[in-house]
Amino acid sequence: NAGVTQTPKFRVLKTGQSMTLLCAQDMNHEYMYWYRQDPGMGLRLIHYSVGEGTTAKGEVPDGYNVSRLKKQNFLLGLESAAPSQTSVYFCASSAPGKGYTEAFFGQGTRLTVV
Amino acid sequence: AQSVTQLDSQVPVFEEAPVELRCNYSSSVSVYLFWYVQYPNQGLQLLLKYLSGSTLVESINGFEAEFNKSQTSFHLRKPSVHISDTAEYFCAVSDLGDYKLSFGAGTTVTVRA
């Protein structure tokens, strides 16, 4: 059971380059999230989606875009990377409603922007 | 959105000693509460959760946490830690029906022999 899978696991970008992080979940969860983790700041929500074709801004959305074309996938894009976007990015998914349990997380993508 | 405060950023502890990690959140509305653990270079794993019912919740590896609504707290405890408990611990909160998690800054627990 794969759960939540993120690709790539590591990436180094030059300032101004673009990239897309892919998140895939096989649990048929409605909700998906992108967080970034920085030392001493915990995890902060970038964008989230409450279903296929929907996206919404989280706490720190600037410089990022997302798409949820398929229920199982949630893409995070950086159009023009900046050193401030050096971080570890985590994707998560959950199932809302009566059966709600908890959010499941991927293993993370470590991004360095130089 | 909730504001979550983890009062200790670093907690050094000797093996077999007890440990308590403190977590407070901002709002007294109905909430879901979680503790996640992150081992080095890994993702977050759920340690335990409070959704409803008994205010004392336990994990399979000896941790427990107590939901205190009046103090808006969800402190994590373990009576006797092992070297393998060395990790970073995150408290997370979401409002009932919201499902978006707000995280504390994390507490790094280092267990020494």
Side-chain angles (χ1 to χ4, degrees), chain A residues 5-87:
Chain A
T5 303
Q6 293 181 232
T7 52
K9 289 184 172 44
F10 304 93
R11 186 73 185 268
V12 178
L13 284 181
K14 293 183 179 179
T15 297
Q17 285 185 319
S18 63
M19 79 163 292
T20 300
L21 283 67
L22 172 63
C23 177
Q25 54 96 2
D26 62 2
M27 295 173 283
N28 201 34
H29 285 169
E30 287 293 332
Y31 284 31
M32 297 186 74
Y33 317 83
W34 277 106
Y35 289 88
R36 61 177 287 173
Q37 182 183 21
D38 301 292
M41 303 187 75
L43 279 76
R44 293 178 293 168
L45 183 65
I46 305 171
H47 286 281
Y48 65 100
S49 168
V50 300
E52 182 179 318
T54 73
T55 63
K57 293 181 180 180
E59 182 184 353
V60 289
D62 294 342
Y64 305 95
N65 56 74
V66 288
S67 64
R68 182 111 181 259
L69 298 179
K70 293 183 179 180
K71 185 177 183 178
Q72 63 268 33
N73 295 337
F74 195 30
L75 279 62
L76 177 71
L78 286 73
E79 291 185 344
S80 179
S84 61
Q85 294 177 305
T86 293
S87 188

Side-chain angles (χ1 to χ4, degrees), chain B residues 23-50:
Chain B
C23 173
N24 287 90
Y25 59 96
S26 58
S27 173
S28 61
V29 298
S30 296
V31 293
Y32 299 128
L33 298 158
F34 306 87
W35 278 98
Y36 282 86
V37 59
Q38 184 180 33
Y39 299 104
N41 299 313
Q42 293 190 25
L44 278 73
Q45 303 174 30
L46 181 71
L47 188 60
L48 46 74
K49 62 189 177 187
Y50 170 81

Side-chain angles (χ1 to χ4, degrees), chain B:
Chain B
Q2 293 278 350
S3 173
V4 183
T5 302
Q6 290 184 239
L7 293 160
D8 306 290
S9 60
Q10 306 264 352
V11 175
V13 59
F14 286 106
E15 193 173 20
E16 298 184 6
V19 70
E20 179 180 69
L21 309 183
R22 294 174 291 170
C23 173
N24 287 90
Y25 59 96
S26 58
S27 173
S28 61
V29 298
S30 296
V31 293
Y32 299 128
L33 298 158
F34 306 87
W35 278 98
Y36 282 86
V37 59
Q38 184 180 33
Y39 299 104
N41 299 313
Q42 293 190 25
L44 278 73
Q45 303 174 30
L46 181 71
L47 188 60
L48 46 74
K49 62 189 177 187
Y50 170 81
L51 302 180
S52 64
S54 172
T55 57
L56 184 66
V57 292
E58 299 177 352
S59 72
I60 58 172
N61 55 355
F63 284 93
E64 65 177 30
E66 186 159 19
F67 168 48
N68 188 318
K69 187 173 183 178
S70 63
Q71 297 187 5
T72 60
S73 68
F74 191 54
H75 301 331
L76 180 70
R77 302 181 184 90
K78 188 171 186 180
S80 176
V81 296
H82 303 289
I83 298 289
S84 59
D85 292 324
T86 293
E88 189 161 20
Y89 294 79
F90 292 96
C91 180
V93 181
S94 70
D95 291 333
L96 195 70
D98 186 348
Y99 309 111
K100 299 191 302 292
L101 291 170
S102 297
F103 283 85
T107 298
T108 299
V109 174
T110 304
V111 182
R112 304 170 182 170

